[in-house]
Amino acid sequence: TIEMGYGSGAMVLGIFQVSVLHNVVHLLYGVVGIAQSRFSYSARRYLRLGGGLAAVLWLFGLLVDRGSYSNFLPLNTADEWAYFAIALVMISLSFLSGDVTPTRKADRHS
């Protein structure tokens, strides 16, 4: 069953441990990402801050005792390494060029 936090035995794909609180974290990630995607500077800031948060969640998962109440999200090994990969990808994507120059049709056919 899915619980609010600690003690949730719910699994996604039989790999990732989830809880109501964990799902709320992911929903907030998505909502903020959509809200910040309109402009390149805000999208870049979202990618850096979101990647930083993912890195914090990865470290939290590495350091917390999985069997204690302090594992309030809860996280398992698959979650930890998924957050590590998410952190790397998000922070890496934040360094892509934000300079987008639209071209006219006449310029493309030359």
Side-chain angles (χ1 to χ4, degrees), residues 1 4 15-16 32-33 49 52 57 69 75 90:
T1 65
M4 182 62 185
I15 302 170
F16 302 104
V32 172
L49 292 175
L57 289 171
Y69 284 107
L75 298 175
M90 289 181 78

Side-chain angles (χ1 to χ4, degrees), residues 28 37 43 103:
L28 288 174
S37 67
T103 59

Side-chain angles (χ1 to χ4, degrees), residues 19-80:
S19 68
V20 172
L21 182 58
H22 204 160
N23 289 338
V24 168
V25 168
H26 285 266
L27 285 172
L28 288 174
Y29 248 106
V31 169
V32 172
I34 290 169
Q36 297 297 306
S37 67
R38 184 174 171 115
F39 301 105
S40 64
Y41 66 88
S42 61
R44 190 178 336 284
R45 181 180 58 228
Y46 166 75
L47 287 168
R48 288 188 182 144
L49 292 175
L53 177 60
V56 167
L57 289 171
W58 169 64
L59 288 172
F60 173 77
L62 289 176
L63 299 174
V64 72
D65 178 16
R66 288 196 186 104
S68 73
Y69 284 107
S70 59
N71 190 11
F72 59 89
L73 272 179
L75 298 175
N76 62 10
T77 303
D79 291 313
E80 292 166 13

Side-chain angles (χ1 to χ4, degrees), residues 75-91:
L75 298 175
N76 62 10
T77 303
D79 291 313
E80 292 166 13
W81 294 106
Y83 279 122
F84 176 75
I86 290 167
L88 282 178
V89 169
M90 289 181 78
I91 292 170

